[in-house]
Amino acid sequence: MTQRVFIIILAIILAGLVGFGVWATQQEVQAEPVPQVSAKWWGSAHADASSEAFVHWNEDDPAEVPPTCAKCHSGHGFMDYVGQDGSTAFKVDAPGRINDVVSCTTCHNDASWSLDKVIMPSTKEVAGEGNNNICMTCHSGMGAGSGVDGRYAEAEPDTVLPDASMMGPHYFHAAATNLGSDGAGGYEYEGKTYVGTFKHVGSANTCLECHDAHSLHIQKPSTTDADMCSTCHTEVVNGWQDYKKISISKVDYDGDGTVESAYDEVEGMRMKLMQAISAYSKNQTGTMWGFYGDSYPYAFIDTNEDGTITEDEATFPNGFKSFTPRMLKAAFNFMFVTKEPGAYVHNAKYVLQLMYDSIEDLSAVSGVSTQGLTRP
């Protein structure tokens, strides 16, 4: 290599380093001011100290968040989980503090920022992208459909289990839904194939490409104050309220004779699954199952068998206890869709597949068939 060539190469490298320095400085300058970030955070669910997510254990003795819950319901519990406190990562070693919201330090620390994987409830390990791993760690749920087999693998499919209760993934498991079979969050039936991670457009695939990290709201394009989704989806005029109008394809998945939005197709299939579980429970156990989403344990005896659980039926002593393994699998998928209100956005085809297969598996006893339904 001649001296001249060496000097030219060195000059190019130096120019690149200078350019990177200028770019990095600009990014720092363009970052949101701290007061603006703080205002967003204060208005978010992560900062809501009065939320049930942070006060549920206040009346317990001792008043603390159990280690099984602390990862996501205590800011310091999350730091324990990622090992920021010096403990082993991916494990909560101690109870969390009550009223301990997701604060700045929960996410802005070395251990959180260096997370390079997410361990899903199914035990699958997923390598997310950068700080999206922070979001995915809590929004992966606390249970996977495979847990039904893990608990009742030896039981006959249609045998009533003593004192069994409905199993579910917990709440707001957006990451588990979005990952599809890559996270194996739902109950996936043997012999069936399921879609993996939902791939949207190039600039809207990850948690933080779609959601503002501090307000949790949908991002806005840098050049306008319009809703990000409205740039492609003309149905979106008034913000997130219009997401339920967005269509995913020209297919009538729920078999009601009309091609509808993704939300309506998912909801139609969910109602069909609820009908199938109720009919199966009545035909197989003699007791009709019903669902009431505002009261734990959510599954209740439909005493008058009218297909609706009323407030007076939704009492703990009236909880449904006559589950079979087959019913638990379908009920898990029902909960997987019901307790993730954004499922139709995060991965509609995955949840439609889960529900279709659940209806099919119950059909011989329930009498509710998949005729007219379409599996994605």
Side-chain angles (χ1 to χ4, degrees):
M1 181 184 292
T2 65
Q3 183 177 11
R4 181 179 178 184
V5 172
F6 176 79
I7 292 173
I8 292 173
I9 293 174
L10 183 61
I12 292 172
I13 293 172
L14 288 173
L17 290 173
V18 171
F20 176 79
V22 171
W23 176 86
T25 301
Q26 288 177 337
Q27 298 304 304
E28 195 171 333
V29 170
Q30 292 171 4
E32 287 185 288
V34 172
Q36 186 172 333
V37 169
S38 296
K40 285 182 175 181
W41 176 80
W42 276 110
S44 76
H46 283 172
D48 186 0
S50 64
S51 167
E52 179 69 12
F54 301 116
V55 304
H56 182 80
W57 302 269
N58 284 17
E59 303 303 320
D60 289 358
D61 185 15
E64 59 188 22
V65 183
T68 52
C69 307
K71 179 182 76 171
C72 303
H73 294 280
S74 166
H76 285 81
F78 185 87
M79 288 191 281
D80 179 346
Y81 178 78
V82 298
Q84 178 63 21
D85 61 354
S87 64
T88 303
F90 303 106
K91 179 178 179 293
V92 178
D93 300 282
R97 308 173 188 176
I98 59 170
N99 303 112
D100 187 20
V101 299
V102 179
S103 65
C104 306
T105 54
T106 304
C107 302
H108 292 272
N109 62 71
D110 292 339
S112 294
W113 281 53
S114 62
L115 271 178
D116 60 357
K117 66 179 179 182
V118 179
I119 302 177
M120 303 298 290
S122 64
T123 72
K124 282 199 172 188
E125 294 187 7
V126 180
E129 297 183 28
N131 292 335
N132 292 284
N133 288 330
I134 298 174
C135 312
M136 293 170 66
T137 293
C138 278
H139 289 281
S140 57
M142 288 185 67
S146 56
V148 179
D149 285 338
R151 187 177 297 184
Y152 301 110
E154 302 303 318
E156 291 296 319
D158 298 306
T159 300
V160 175
L161 303 163
D163 297 321
S165 56
M166 189 156 66
M167 300 169 65
H170 204 46
Y171 312 113
F172 300 106
H173 43 280
T177 308
N178 180 253
L179 287 167
S181 63
D182 294 331
Y187 185 86
E188 299 181 359
Y189 289 86
E190 187 176 354
K192 299 286 188 176
T193 58
Y194 296 88
V195 297
T197 304
F198 174 54
K199 299 294 185 183
H200 205 194
V201 295
S203 59
N205 273 316
T206 68
C207 311
L208 298 177
E209 284 176 344
C210 293
H211 293 271
D212 184 288
H214 300 108
S215 72
L216 312 183
H217 295 162
I218 295 297
Q219 296 273 21
K220 294 184 181 298
S222 58
T223 56
T224 176
D225 199 41
D227 186 284
M228 184 176 86
C229 300
S230 67
T231 57
C232 293
H233 297 286
T234 56
E235 305 97 324
V236 178
V237 177
N238 301 306
W240 63 268
Q241 298 94 327
D242 289 338
Y243 295 170
K244 293 181 178 180
K245 300 177 183 178
I246 297 174
S247 179
I248 52 173
S249 65
K250 297 179 179 180
V251 178
D252 176 20
Y253 293 107
D254 64 1
D256 65 356
T258 305
V259 175
E260 302 160 303
S261 67
Y263 172 83
D264 287 327
E265 294 292 345
V266 168
E267 187 64 10
M269 189 79 80
R270 191 178 74 92
M271 291 296 101
K272 194 80 170 181
L273 175 55
M274 184 164 70
Q275 178 189 351
I277 299 173
S278 292
Y280 172 92
S281 66
K282 173 61 178 175
N283 295 342
Q284 184 66 26
T285 73
T287 303
M288 184 171 282
W289 169 93
F291 179 80
Y292 192 85
D294 294 332
S295 296
Y296 182 83
Y298 312 118
F300 300 96
I301 298 171
D302 188 353
T303 53
N304 60 6
E305 299 183 359
D306 66 348
T308 302
I309 297 296
T310 55
E311 208 170 311
D312 61 301
E313 290 175 309
T315 61
F316 195 81
N318 192 47
F320 185 91
K321 296 291 185 182
S322 302
F323 285 97
T324 69
R326 191 186 304 276
M327 188 178 174
L328 282 174
K329 296 169 186 178
F332 187 98
N333 284 341
F334 179 82
M335 286 287 280
F336 190 86
V337 182
T338 301
K339 291 301 180 181
E340 212 285 78
Y344 69 100
V345 172
H346 296 131
N347 201 332
K349 291 187 176 179
Y350 181 62
V351 296
L352 284 167
Q353 288 175 336
L354 293 175
M355 291 189 289
Y356 181 99
D357 293 345
S358 299
I359 295 167
E360 183 179 62
D361 192 51
L362 296 171
S363 61
V365 175
S366 71
V368 179
S369 77
T370 55
Q371 185 175 358
L373 305 180
T374 300
R375 189 183 193 274

